[in-house]
Amino acid sequence: MRITCTGPGSHLGRGGGRAMGPLALGALGVAASIAHGQEAMYTEAATMPSPGTYVLREQLTFFKYGLHPHRGTESTEETTWENSLTAGIARGWAVRLTAPVTWRRDAPGSGFPGGEDTRDQGVENLDIQFKWRFYQSDTGGIDTLRAALLFGASVPSGDDHDFSESTVNPMIGAVLTNVWGRHGFNQDLMYHFNTGGDMAGNFGGDGPDDAVRFNSAYLYRIAPSRYTEDTTGAWYVTAEINGLYETGGDTELRFSPGVMFEGREFGFEIMGQLPLWHDLKDRGELDLAIGVGVRFLF
């Protein structure tokens, strides 16, 4: 689960040119503090922590894949524990460090003539990502339109080659966030320059081909319908389309519905992921994924 802490996430009502009274100002402060940017589970947002503020995110996701042509397996199950820390470093600037730990189980196939499952675990590449918000337009209440540039790299974790590569893989992209009323929308686009990797270890963007990720997220605040001074948190339903294109030709789209809660200093999220469309020849297709996450603001 991802979180940011300064971006408007919901709407109190348009004030036009009228001055707001103490109650409205108090509700606006509550809304800004608990609506941390409406960032869905697998899609970026153009919001970020304020300088000197940190967000710790812990996300656990189970993936099940079908036959992998380069591993010689009938199916693979992965459980990934993603640890990330985001820090606000200046106005409009943030940095995030992510360390994923993965447990993997391969079911026997043509590559395992002995017929026994194999199990492995390790720390995957570490991701370092900077975010620069270069555009912001707040249009009344806490409605907003924001855009940010994303850039960074995945670097070796030092674990064995089954999980961590020995190369540095740069990435660059952008994200647009629009919040109006109880609705939120995020659109990101990321290009990953893969300088290492192999086909057998690729489950989506981890192989030798460059990868283009494109994610769209829609969020709707189901409660409360309006913020007040007594509001302590907000509930959202979310829907994402997660796309991945690899320069070798493999392409897939996934659909990810979920439920999210955002409080002033704590949040959590539950998400499912299902295959929507794919054209794959070098890796196994996704059967399903289930993710849960928590986040802490300090």
Side-chain angles (χ1 to χ4, degrees), residues 23-297:
L23 180 60
L25 288 171
L28 178 60
V30 170
S33 68
I34 67 174
H36 300 299
Q38 291 194 14
E39 190 171 359
M41 199 162 188
Y42 305 119
T43 304
E44 299 282 354
T47 48
M48 60 195 64
S50 56
T53 303
Y54 300 87
V55 176
L56 175 66
R57 185 196 85 187
E58 302 290 339
Q59 179 180 313
L60 191 69
T61 307
F62 170 81
F63 299 93
K64 182 175 175 56
Y65 300 96
L67 184 147
H68 196 300
H70 293 279
R71 294 179 70 81
T73 54
E74 292 295 331
S75 65
T76 299
E77 295 178 356
E78 283 192 349
T79 301
T80 298
W81 176 25
E82 194 172 82
N83 310 269
S84 76
L85 181 66
T86 302
I89 54 179
R91 181 174 176 81
W93 283 87
V95 61
R96 183 175 72 208
L97 174 63
T98 303
V101 181
T102 295
W103 291 263
R104 181 178 295 158
R105 173 180 173 269
D106 284 313
S110 59
F112 295 90
E116 295 184 358
D117 291 0
T118 60
R119 300 174 185 268
D120 201 0
Q121 66 182 60
V123 180
E124 299 186 48
N125 280 13
L126 308 179
D127 287 342
I128 303 173
Q129 183 188 95
F130 290 89
K131 183 187 294 186
W132 170 48
R133 186 182 64 235
F134 62 86
Y135 178 81
Q136 176 176 340
S137 176
D138 300 328
T139 55
I142 55 173
D143 290 1
T144 189
L145 177 65
R146 301 184 180 192
L149 180 68
L150 311 170
F151 58 95
S154 67
V155 300
S157 68
D159 210 329
D160 65 68
H161 69 277
D162 288 335
F163 293 94
S164 177
E165 303 167 14
S166 59
T167 58
V168 175
N169 305 309
M171 64 183 78
I172 187 169
V175 57
L176 178 71
T177 293
N178 190 15
V179 177
W180 72 102
R182 298 166 71 174
H183 308 272
F185 175 77
N186 298 318
Q187 176 65 54
D188 70 28
L189 178 66
M190 292 288 294
Y191 193 99
H192 296 251
F193 300 88
N194 289 330
T195 59
D198 57 64
M199 290 298 189
N202 183 25
F203 288 91
D206 304 318
D209 299 321
D210 288 354
V212 181
R213 299 183 185 274
F214 45 99
N215 301 293
S216 304
Y218 169 73
L219 305 94
Y220 179 74
R221 193 183 76 241
I222 54 178
S225 59
R226 296 178 65 86
Y227 284 108
T228 71
E229 288 184 309
D230 297 325
T231 302
T232 58
W235 288 89
Y236 302 85
V237 291
T238 66
E240 299 180 61
I241 301 295
N242 309 117
L244 173 62
Y245 167 76
E246 294 170 292
T247 53
D250 281 11
T251 309
E252 70 173 322
L253 294 175
R254 301 175 181 179
F255 173 63
S256 306
V259 176
M260 180 175 69
F261 171 81
E262 286 186 337
R264 300 188 187 191
E265 298 179 347
F266 170 78
F268 70 87
E269 187 170 39
I270 301 173
M271 179 70 71
Q273 195 172 67
L274 298 169
L276 189 61
W277 177 86
H278 63 263
D279 180 12
L280 305 175
K281 65 179 186 300
D282 288 323
R283 57 184 171 85
E285 65 183 70
L286 177 77
D287 291 334
L288 63 91
I290 301 173
V292 296
V294 295
R295 65 262 185 113
F296 303 92
L297 170 67

